[in-house]
């Protein structure tokens, strides 16, 4: 015998879990002995899709019992009209309050029949008609009668809005109006309710109209922004004329009627808040906002909109206050005040609820609204497209205008809509004002909210689990973007720019540019025009950035040159998608870029070819603290990846360009000291030599049928001392050793081809600073062989070496190529550069003679010996020759002097008593200052220079790089430089020439 109970479908199949479900279904005629009635299957399927199927069925059962005579009609309509079925069941399953309304008023459900909906633009007329208002704006109904009529009409229209909003959850073919449309309809409904309540208020006060008093109702907050909730206080401000006592009584009556019938009306945003007069004249409002208003009050006025009462008076109110709103950002500490207000709001949320508060909590709606409003108030002064009341519209405008990244604007817009939909659903449930997301432990509440929001299970995860995960992800995203935009330092910089300065193409702007220190303001305006002309997003972002950038450049040595450089960089990076985004989003980057462009002519050219360094400007540690070994390794790996020699060399030069720019930026911004700069530049040169040598060696080995020699590169001069500057040549010598079975002559020819190729490839013309490999310090100078074997070097120095060559070898060290060969070369020359018995008197005299000749012949014609960093009195050559003479004479007995570093050598000379501490300090200070000035002058001029500028912007720029104030006298810097050099020259003359 078959168990009949097992063959009858369960009501649980339709999501009905209440024990009364089958009984209620039978009573409705939808369930029989065999299970669901086939003709009512569509109704049962619709019930299964409701946010709460049990609540929907229970409400339908109550509706059946309350309107027995009308049940048959409703039953048939539910079967035949899918629109009614979807709308009614969705509402009954989502809102117990709206369900009570439908049940208490038989026939109310007919509003939801297809085609029976009231058009949103008729809401106002419908509500006015409900209170019997005539053309004069005075209602026929008064008191509680008016309140009841208005409440019923308002609730009926609210039912229609909710039904349209929710219907697609039950009948997926119904249209989805979306959050924006629903919020707009709720706002229209509220506006109509305010007008109807005002008509009742005038009626209660005897129907007196404009002859005695005029009253305008200004919507604020979400109503003003056309983005109301289902249940929300409606914020208003009243402005009156004539009999203010009468106007105040009318306003009070309007608030009472609307609050009883529809929603709370809150006038706390009026001047002086609840302590202030409920109604003020237009002049009273203007006087208050001009003199007493706080920052947050201007923020509130962003959404101000006349919605009821005297339209002409409302329009004049807006004409009066709106200019004040867009001047608010110029107030002292404006940005900080708005930020502080947001923090205060957040602190008022109980700690245990802060992560569940949709409105006020971390990552909530207020995070988005505050960020959007702050951006509007700052940038809207110069861009009227941002002067919008709606948060989503303003956010879209900020994105379109380039003030916010497009991705950020889209993400924030989606997150805002997501949270607002959740807020709507939570408020619909009982038509109570709430913003509290369910506790994560309340599975029932999470399930209901998820279904009401249209969220379905995913795989093994329930609707509630999916909702909880999405909510957490949205909150994190909102908070991240809020902190990125709301606390963006650039906002404060923009806010400090006067409003008139935001209009960049007027004569006033030209005058302001001249006042800022631009030597050619008309030329500056041409650059501005070139950057901002057009309707492209790029032009919009430049329009937002340039007022700030102009102020920043004004604080640099060369504002005009900096603006021209900025234009060149912007045009050169026009195809780089992140360039302007980085400048807009990271204030530190734009501030530091302005400093660089207004100081250096070398940096702009490098930025166009190595733009990735711009990203490092926001992180001083990354800009200045890159590990040298990592740099060298990256460069070698990049070169090694290329089989074609030309590409390999190009890769090496590209990385060298990147590093040169990185070091230059860190240097100019004060993040690296001079020794670190020289060391970094030297290491980059060594890495380039190493990588290119390897690439050329591989290619030559293939061409020669095998590698014929080991090659080592010996750094000389500043490269050997790790003291290179910007644009310095690399002084080197090449040494080789034949591999097994290869003659010396073949090895030398092989190595010479490699060395010549390295020099040619590196010195080939390009847009980068040159890479000259100088081999003039080799034996016999320019007449000598380019490459020698180790034994040839040893023999030459033993038989033919001159004292100047021994001096040159003091700074020799291996920098590339075969490590073992390089070490053996150094061991072979130690006896030459550190002679066992020191330097005899004849060789000492020879050194001094050569130095005197250099002083007399090498200084360029017209150069000022007091300000020439290399060959001038007390300059680099003076200090280095003095130390090198001490090394030649004493390094055989003082091992600490055996160093290629000038600074280490001077320290060793002082610690061993060869020079006294005062002399040591004078030489050290002179060498460091001359090196810093030489580097700074090269960066400022954009090409290698040894001469300190003595006037003009270049002198100001060099002085500023060395820390002298821009508004100070650059002549003081020159005086200081000359004093330092004179002290060093005195030491040189005494130490270098003493026996």
């Amino acid at each position: 015998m078959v168990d009949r109970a097992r063959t009858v479908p369960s009501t649980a199949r339709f999501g009905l879990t209440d024990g009364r479900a089958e009984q209620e279904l039978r009573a409705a005629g939808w369930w029989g002995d065999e299970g669901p009635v086939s003709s009512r299957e569509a109704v049962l399927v619709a019930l299964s899709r409701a946010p709460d199927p049990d609540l929907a069925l229970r409400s339908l059962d109550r509706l059946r019992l309350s309107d027995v005579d009308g049940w048959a009609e409703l039953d048939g309509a539910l079967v035949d009209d899918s629109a009614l079925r979807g709308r009614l069941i969705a509402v009954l399953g989502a809102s117990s309050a709206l369900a009570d309304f439908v049940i208490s008023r038989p026939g109310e459900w007919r509003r939801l029949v297809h085609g029976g909906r009231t058009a949103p633009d008729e809401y106002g007329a419908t509500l006015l008609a409900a209170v019997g208002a005539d053309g004069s704006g005075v209602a026929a109904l008064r008191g509680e009668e008016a309140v009841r009529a208005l409440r019923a009409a308002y609730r009926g229209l609210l039912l229609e809005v909710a039904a349209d909003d929710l219907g697609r959850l039950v009948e997926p073919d119904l249209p989805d109006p979306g959050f924006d449309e629903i919020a707009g309809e709720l706002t229209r409904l509220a506006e109509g309710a305010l007008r109807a309540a005002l008509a009742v208020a005038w009626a209660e006060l005897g129907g007196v109209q404009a002859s005695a008093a005029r009253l305008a109702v200004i919507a604020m907050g979400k109503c003003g922004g056309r983005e109301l909730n289902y249940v929300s206080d409606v914020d208003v401000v009243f402005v009156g004329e004539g009999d203010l006592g009468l106007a105040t009584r009318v306003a009070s009556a309007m608030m009472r009627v609307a609050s009883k019938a529809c929603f709370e009306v809150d006038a706390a945003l009026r001047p002086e808040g609840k302590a202030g007069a409920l109604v003020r004249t237009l002049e009273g409002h203007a006087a208050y906002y001009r003199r007493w208003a706080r920052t947050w009050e201007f923020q509130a006025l962003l959404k101000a909109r006349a919605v009821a009462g005297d339209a002409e008076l409302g329009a004049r109110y807006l004409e009066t206050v709106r200019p004040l709103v867009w001047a608010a950002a110029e107030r002292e500490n404006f940005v900080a005040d708005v930020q502080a207000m947001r923090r205060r709001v957040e602190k008022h949320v109980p700690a245990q609820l802060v992560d569940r508060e949709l409105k006020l909590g971390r990552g909530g709606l207020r995070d988005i609204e505050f960020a959007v409003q702050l951006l509007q108030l700052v940038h809207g002064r110069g861009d009227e497209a941002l002067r919008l009341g709606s948060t989503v519209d303003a956010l879209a405008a900020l994105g379109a205008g380039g003030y916010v990244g497009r991705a950020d604007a889209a993400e924030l817009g989606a997150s805002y809509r997501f949270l607002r939909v959740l807020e709507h659903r939570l408020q619909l449930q009982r038509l109570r004002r709430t913003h509290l997301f369910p506790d994560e432990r309340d599975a029932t509440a999470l399930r209901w909210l998820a279904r009401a929001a249209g969220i379905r299970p995913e795989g093994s995860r329930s609707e509630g689990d999916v909702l909880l995960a999405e909510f957490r992800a949205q909150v994190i995203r909102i908070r991240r973007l809020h902190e990125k935009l709301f606390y963006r330092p650039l906002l404060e910089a923009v806010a400090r720019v006067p409003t008139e300065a935001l209009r960049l193409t007027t004569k006033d702007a030209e005058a302001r540019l001249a006042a800022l220190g631009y030597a050619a303001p008309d030329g500056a305006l041409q650059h501005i025009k070139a950057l901002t002309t057009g309707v492209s997003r790029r032009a919009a972002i430049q329009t937002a950035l340039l007022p700030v950038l102009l102020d920043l450049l004004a604080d640099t040595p060369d504002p005009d040159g900096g603006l021209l450089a900025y234009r060149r960089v912007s045009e050169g990076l026009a195809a780089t998608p992140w360039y302007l985004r980085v400048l807009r989003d990271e204030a530190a980057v734009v501030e530091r870029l302005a400093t660089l462009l207004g100081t250096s002519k070398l940096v702009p050219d490098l930025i166009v070819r190595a733009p990735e360094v711009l990203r490092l400007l926001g992180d001083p540690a990354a800009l200045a603290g890159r590990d040298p070994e990592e740099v060298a390794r990256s460069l070698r790996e990049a070169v090694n990846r290329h089989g074609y020699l030309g590409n390999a060399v190009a890769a090496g030069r590209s990385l060298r360009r990147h590093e040169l720019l990185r070091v230059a930026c860190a240097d100019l911004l004060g993040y690296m000291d001079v020794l670190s700069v020289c060391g970094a530049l030297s290491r980059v040169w060594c890495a380039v030599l190493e990588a290119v040598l390897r690439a050329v060696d591989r290619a030559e080995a293939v061409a020669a049928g095998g590698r014929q020699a080991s090659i080592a590169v010996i750094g000389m001069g500043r490269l050997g001392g790790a003291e290179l500057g910007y644009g310095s040549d690399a002084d080197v010598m090449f040494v080789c050793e034949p591999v097994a079975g290869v003659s010396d002559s073949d090895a030398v020819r092989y190595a010479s081809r490699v060395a010549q190729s390295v020099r040619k490839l590196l010195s080939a013309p390009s847009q980068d600073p040159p890479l000259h490999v100088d081999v003039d310090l080799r034996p016999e100078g320019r007449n000598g062989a380019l490459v020698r074997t180790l034994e040839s070097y040893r023999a030459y120095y033993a038989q033919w070496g001159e004292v100047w060559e021994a001096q040159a070898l003091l700074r020799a060290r291996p920098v590339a190529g075969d490590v073992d060969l390089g070490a053996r070369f150094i061991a072979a020359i130690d006896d030459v550069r550190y002679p066992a018995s020191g330097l005899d008197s004849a060789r000492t005299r020879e050194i001094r003679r050569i130095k005197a000749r250099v002083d007399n012949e090498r200084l360029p014609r017209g150069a000022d010996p007091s300000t020439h960093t290399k060959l001038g009195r007390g300059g680099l050559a003076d200090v280095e020759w003095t130390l090198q003479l001490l090394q030649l004479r004493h390094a055989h007995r003082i091992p600490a002097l055996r160093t290629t570093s000038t600074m280490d050598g001077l320290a060793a000379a002082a610690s061993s008593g060869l020079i006294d501490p005062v002399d040591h300090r004078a030489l050290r200070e002179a060498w460091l200052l001359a090196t810093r000035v030489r580097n700074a002058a090269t960066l400022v001029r954009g090409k290698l220079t040894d001469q300190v500028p003595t006037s003009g912007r270049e002198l100001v720029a060099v002085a500023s790089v060395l820390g002298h104030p821009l508004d100070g006298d650059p002549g003081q810097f020159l005086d200081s430089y000359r004093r330092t050099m004179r002290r060093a020259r005195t030491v040189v003359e005494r130490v270098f020439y003493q026996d």
Side-chain angles (χ1 to χ4, degrees):
M1 180 177 180
V2 177
D3 185 351
R4 181 176 176 278
R6 292 180 181 276
T7 65
V8 177
S10 167
T11 57
R13 168 186 166 190
F14 299 101
L16 300 165
T17 58
D18 192 311
R20 298 167 293 179
E22 184 173 335
Q23 177 185 342
E24 292 167 345
L25 289 173
R26 287 179 180 277
W30 298 343
W31 197 272
D33 291 340
E34 301 300 321
V37 175
S38 59
S39 61
R40 301 296 186 269
E41 187 90 21
V43 178
L44 296 178
V45 171
L47 279 171
S48 73
R49 295 174 179 153
D52 185 343
D54 288 313
L55 175 62
L57 177 58
R58 192 179 314 123
S59 299
L60 283 168
D61 188 58
R62 290 171 59 205
L63 187 57
R64 177 183 62 80
L65 293 174
S66 66
D67 186 13
V68 175
D69 295 338
W71 174 250
E73 181 186 356
L74 173 58
D75 182 26
L78 286 172
V79 173
D80 298 334
D81 187 344
S82 62
L84 168 68
R85 183 167 65 242
R87 291 170 179 158
L88 180 59
I89 291 177
V91 168
L92 298 181
S95 175
S96 59
L98 286 178
D100 291 343
F101 173 73
V102 172
I103 292 163
S104 67
R105 297 176 63 85
E108 198 71 26
W109 58 266
R110 291 186 179 87
R111 288 177 174 273
L112 309 184
V113 172
H114 180 66
R117 191 190 188 305
T118 307
D121 58 4
E122 295 176 3
Y123 288 169
T126 301
L127 294 174
L128 285 169
V131 296
D134 57 20
S136 65
V138 180
L141 303 181
R142 297 173 176 80
E144 288 302 314
E145 183 183 10
V147 169
R148 285 193 296 271
L150 181 56
R151 179 188 299 123
Y154 176 83
R155 193 62 64 88
L157 293 173
L158 189 67
L159 170 67
E160 294 183 20
V161 174
D164 266 10
D165 188 9
L166 299 167
R168 65 184 173 80
L169 300 176
V170 170
E171 291 293 339
D173 291 338
L174 290 177
D176 177 9
F179 161 76
D180 297 13
E181 185 175 330
I182 293 300
E185 290 179 7
L186 291 171
T187 302
R188 286 195 176 196
L189 185 54
E191 292 168 7
L194 289 174
R195 294 180 190 127
L198 184 60
V200 174
W202 279 116
E204 292 182 349
L205 288 161
V208 182
Q209 277 292 342
S211 57
R214 300 174 70 187
L215 181 69
V217 183
I218 310 298
M220 309 284 278
K222 284 185 167 60
C223 185
R226 295 185 174 89
E227 49 191 14
L228 265 181
N229 297 332
Y230 279 98
V231 184
S232 179
D233 290 355
V234 173
D235 296 304
V236 298
V237 167
F238 296 103
V239 57
E241 279 188 358
D243 186 344
L244 289 190
L246 174 59
T248 300
R249 292 194 297 277
V250 171
S252 296
M254 188 211 83
M255 292 176 66
R256 172 178 51 79
V257 172
S259 296
K260 283 186 175 182
C262 308
F263 40 70
E264 288 293 325
V265 179
D266 191 343
L269 292 179
R270 66 186 184 269
E272 300 181 80
K274 293 180 179 178
L278 181 63
V279 180
R280 287 181 185 243
T281 63
L282 181 57
E283 293 75 17
H285 278 283
Y288 173 83
Y289 285 119
R290 289 192 181 104
R291 187 170 183 183
W292 304 110
R294 288 167 290 178
T295 296
W296 68 263
E297 292 177 280
F298 294 105
Q299 189 177 348
L301 284 172
L302 264 176
K303 296 180 181 295
R305 187 168 59 89
V307 295
D310 192 299
E312 189 273 337
L313 181 58
R316 283 197 286 126
Y317 171 86
L318 295 177
E319 289 173 4
T320 300
V321 301
R322 278 176 175 159
L324 303 178
V325 172
W326 301 112
E330 295 181 13
R331 293 159 63 98
E332 188 175 356
N333 297 322
F334 168 78
V335 173
D337 284 349
V338 177
Q339 292 169 342
M341 174 60 73
R342 173 62 188 121
R343 290 191 290 270
R344 284 196 296 274
V345 168
E346 189 175 313
K347 285 180 180 178
H348 289 159
V349 182
Q352 67 272 22
L353 300 180
V354 72
D355 293 327
R356 293 172 52 201
E357 248 286 345
L358 294 174
K359 182 177 180 181
L360 305 177
R362 287 190 296 266
L365 294 165
R366 279 288 189 268
D367 270 359
I368 300 175
E369 291 165 354
F370 265 79
V372 170
Q373 289 164 20
L374 180 56
L375 287 163
Q376 282 182 276
L377 287 167
V378 171
H379 296 297
R381 296 175 297 153
D383 188 347
E384 294 186 4
L386 303 182
R387 300 179 181 184
L388 303 168
S390 163
T391 300
V392 291
D393 290 347
L395 190 53
L398 287 164
Y403 305 98
V404 174
R406 281 175 288 203
D408 291 348
E411 288 183 1
L412 272 182
S415 295
Y416 185 78
R417 291 181 173 90
F418 175 80
L419 291 191
R420 289 297 306 275
V421 167
L422 296 186
E423 184 182 44
H424 280 184
R425 300 299 182 262
L426 288 166
Q427 293 179 350
L428 262 178
Q429 196 170 25
R430 296 180 179 83
L431 286 185
R432 291 179 183 172
R433 186 181 177 196
T434 180
H435 314 284
L436 199 60
F437 189 80
D439 190 291
E440 62 182 30
R441 295 164 294 186
D442 191 343
T444 301
L446 286 170
R447 179 177 182 272
W448 173 85
L449 181 57
R451 289 171 64 89
I455 293 173
R456 296 296 181 236
E458 292 181 2
S460 61
R461 296 195 300 167
S462 68
E463 308 99 316
D465 290 339
V466 174
L467 170 64
L468 185 59
E470 181 63 18
F471 172 70
R472 287 172 174 165
Q474 294 283 359
V475 165
I476 291 171
R477 181 167 75 179
I478 290 170
R479 191 63 174 186
R480 173 178 59 81
L481 292 173
H482 167 78
E483 291 177 349
K484 173 182 176 181
L485 301 176
F486 192 60
Y487 295 102
R488 180 187 288 170
L490 185 62
L491 281 173
E492 295 190 42
V494 176
R496 288 194 294 268
V497 178
T499 299
E500 62 272 13
L502 298 174
R503 300 173 179 89
L504 296 170
T505 57
T506 65
K507 280 294 180 184
D508 290 339
E510 186 172 331
R512 183 168 186 272
L513 289 168
L516 284 173
Y518 287 82
D522 52 342
L525 281 178
Q526 292 304 311
H527 297 320
I528 292 168
K529 182 178 180 180
L531 289 165
T532 59
T533 297
V535 295
S536 68
R537 179 180 176 79
R538 186 181 303 115
I541 297 176
Q542 290 285 19
T543 302
L545 281 172
L546 275 166
V548 176
L549 193 72
L550 292 172
D551 275 6
L552 294 171
L553 287 171
D555 291 330
T556 67
D558 186 4
D560 298 85
L563 183 57
L564 172 61
Y566 178 73
R567 176 181 175 181
R568 285 169 39 218
V569 169
S570 295
E571 290 173 348
L573 299 182
T576 303
W578 51 262
Y579 163 63
L580 287 176
R581 183 172 69 243
V582 167
L583 299 189
R584 180 196 61 211
D585 293 346
E586 298 187 39
V589 173
V590 75
E591 289 172 6
R592 290 164 188 157
L593 178 62
T595 299
L596 296 170
L597 298 182
T599 304
S600 169
K601 292 182 180 178
L602 178 65
V603 165
D605 293 333
L606 290 174
I607 286 178
V608 173
R609 292 177 54 75
E612 61 278 1
V613 175
L614 276 174
R615 296 177 181 270
L616 300 179
L617 293 181
D619 184 357
L623 187 67
R626 193 173 181 195
D627 178 40
E629 290 304 318
E630 178 194 341
V631 172
R633 184 170 56 254
S634 298
L635 197 149
R636 289 193 297 267
E637 290 174 354
V639 172
N640 288 339
R641 282 194 291 270
H642 295 277
Y644 173 60
L645 185 57
N647 291 343
V649 174
R653 298 186 73 145
S654 173
L655 279 172
R656 185 246 186 183
R657 178 193 320 133
H658 177 284
E659 283 304 299
L660 183 61
L661 176 58
R662 180 185 68 82
V663 173
C665 292
D667 186 4
L668 287 167
L669 295 170
Y671 300 136
M672 290 178 75
D673 61 54
V674 63
L675 293 178
S676 298
V677 168
C678 293
L681 294 174
S682 300
R683 283 188 288 269
V684 171
W685 239 123
C686 293
V688 170
L689 277 171
E690 174 71 28
V692 174
L693 178 68
R694 289 186 181 185
V696 173
D697 194 13
R698 283 197 305 271
E700 189 62 35
V702 171
R707 190 163 174 266
Q708 297 183 355
S710 300
I711 304 171
V713 182
I714 309 302
M716 306 289 284
R718 297 195 177 282
L719 179 61
E723 296 164 354
L724 283 182
Y726 303 102
S728 293
D729 293 348
D731 290 309
V732 302
M733 293 195 301
F734 291 94
V735 57
C736 73
E737 189 172 63
V739 300
V742 176
S743 67
D744 283 0
S745 58
D746 287 342
V748 168
R749 280 193 292 271
Y750 173 90
S752 296
R753 290 196 298 271
V754 171
Q756 193 59 42
S757 293
V758 168
R759 295 183 66 208
K760 181 179 179 181
L761 289 167
L762 289 178
S763 62
S766 78
Q767 295 175 318
D768 297 328
L771 292 90
H772 293 307
V773 178
D774 192 331
V775 292
D776 287 351
L777 292 178
R778 68 189 185 271
E780 301 179 76
R782 295 179 181 178
N783 297 319
L786 178 61
V787 182
R788 290 173 180 258
T789 64
L790 177 57
E791 290 306 318
S792 175
Y793 276 110
R794 185 180 285 122
Y796 173 85
Y797 287 126
Q799 186 172 1
W800 306 106
E802 298 183 29
V803 67
W804 71 265
E805 291 176 304
Q807 181 183 356
L809 290 174
L810 286 170
R811 309 186 81 179
R813 70 180 176 94
V815 295
D818 190 286
V819 175
D820 176 65
L821 179 57
R824 285 188 283 123
F825 176 88
I826 296 301
I829 64 170
D830 275 350
D831 289 341
V832 178
R833 57 182 178 174
Y834 310 134
S837 56
L839 209 60
D840 59 33
S841 58
R843 289 160 71 86
T844 300
R845 285 194 300 272
E846 177 65 11
I847 289 289
R848 291 169 177 163
R849 187 192 65 79
I850 297 173
K851 172 70 168 64
R853 183 179 174 187
V854 168
D855 289 346
N856 292 329
E857 298 178 5
R858 296 281 298 278
L859 189 70
R861 179 172 297 184
D864 182 352
S866 69
T867 56
H868 196 276
T869 58
K870 183 177 181 182
L871 299 174
R873 292 189 290 267
L876 297 173
D878 266 2
V879 176
E880 291 164 4
W881 278 68
T882 299
L883 170 63
Q884 290 161 13
L885 180 58
L886 292 175
Q887 289 177 299
L888 288 167
R889 298 178 71 180
H890 304 287
H892 66 285
R893 63 181 181 83
I894 304 174
L897 283 173
R898 300 176 186 178
T899 175
T900 62
S901 163
T902 302
M903 291 295 95
D904 291 348
L906 288 175
S911 64
S912 62
L914 296 177
I915 55 176
D916 65 40
V918 174
D919 290 349
H920 169 241
R921 185 163 56 251
L923 294 176
R924 175 183 171 85
E925 288 177 357
W927 190 91
L928 291 174
L929 179 59
T931 302
R932 287 189 67 196
V933 170
R934 188 184 195 216
N935 282 345
T938 299
L939 290 173
V940 167
R941 296 189 64 189
K943 57 185 178 181
L944 180 62
T945 181
D946 294 314
Q947 185 69 58
V948 183
T950 55
S951 63
R953 290 189 183 273
E954 287 186 352
L955 172 60
V956 173
V958 170
S960 72
V961 173
L962 270 75
H964 289 254
L966 277 175
D967 56 357
D969 179 5
Q972 293 180 350
F973 158 72
L974 270 181
D975 291 343
S976 174
Y977 178 85
R978 288 184 172 118
R979 280 195 303 271
T980 301
M981 297 303 116
R982 283 198 300 268
R983 285 195 296 267
R985 180 67 175 192
T986 299
V987 175
V988 169
E989 288 177 347
R990 185 175 64 254
V991 175
F992 186 75
Y993 293 103
Q994 74 180 4
D995 290 323

